[in-house]
Amino acid sequence: MAAPEVADVELIAVTDATGAIVEPGWLGRAETVHRQLRPQLPADYMGRLSAVFANGGRMLLAIKGGAVRGVALWRLIENTYEGRRLYIDDLVIDEKHRSQGVGRRLLAALRVTGEACGCDVLALDSGVQRQQAHKFYFREGMTISSFCFKETIQ
């Protein structure tokens, strides 16, 4: 069953095209939802996100009823095997408001942004334990194109 469309969800860009924080109040309000996906973020959330934004990260929020319902952290990457990609670092919907179309709305907005930025690909990584998220990504037409290998060096 498809999630309903969410016409009353407002999208707010926390950063501008340069990574400058243009909505600091909303950034602070996004922390609780963002930590549902990334509980390991340091106590200095604003400081950490400022560093991420300075290195290419951008943030888009889904707001409904004056509350943050979803957080998308993304960036543009140029690589040799795909060309230009809009890479989604984090896409998280408040656990109390999932399956209500908020994720679909954010993903659609990121697709439009990717097209406007001349991207060839929209991509993200998702932890192997996140089966519900994977069902959503498949419903949205995404595919698994590769494995991601990593090694912790610090």
Side-chain angles (χ1 to χ4, degrees), residues 15 19-21 27 44-58:
T15 53
I21 299 169
L27 175 58
D44 182 10
Y45 179 77
M46 298 286 273
R48 177 68 181 125
L49 271 288
S50 293
V52 169
F53 301 148
N55 284 290
R58 305 294 178 258

Side-chain angles (χ1 to χ4, degrees), residues 15-19 49-59 73-77 87 89:
T15 53
D16 67 12
T18 70
L49 271 288
S50 293
V52 169
F53 301 148
N55 284 290
R58 305 294 178 258
M59 184 179 274
L73 181 62
W74 61 276
R75 65 188 66 241
L76 298 176
I77 298 173
Y87 180 78
D89 292 30

Side-chain angles (χ1 to χ4, degrees), residues 86-147:
L86 188 148
Y87 180 78
I88 304 168
D89 292 30
D90 298 336
L91 180 62
V92 59
I93 308 309
D94 186 332
E95 58 196 9
K96 298 177 298 253
H97 300 282
R98 291 182 183 154
S99 298
Q100 296 177 11
V102 176
R104 174 174 284 164
R105 181 83 191 271
L106 279 169
L107 201 54
L110 292 173
R111 283 187 185 110
V112 169
T113 299
E115 289 172 8
C117 292
C119 292
D120 302 296
V121 174
L122 177 81
L124 57 82
D125 292 323
S126 183
V128 295
Q129 78 285 1
R130 301 192 67 231
Q131 291 87 6
Q132 290 305 111
H134 302 162
K135 289 178 183 178
F136 167 71
Y137 299 135
F138 286 134
R139 273 196 316 270
E140 291 301 306
M142 299 183 92
T143 61
I144 298 172
S145 62
S146 64
F147 290 105

Side-chain angles (χ1 to χ4, degrees), residues 62-78:
I63 309 299
K64 183 175 179 181
V68 175
R69 297 289 197 247
V71 176
L73 181 62
W74 61 276
R75 65 188 66 241
L76 298 176
I77 298 173
E78 197 82 30

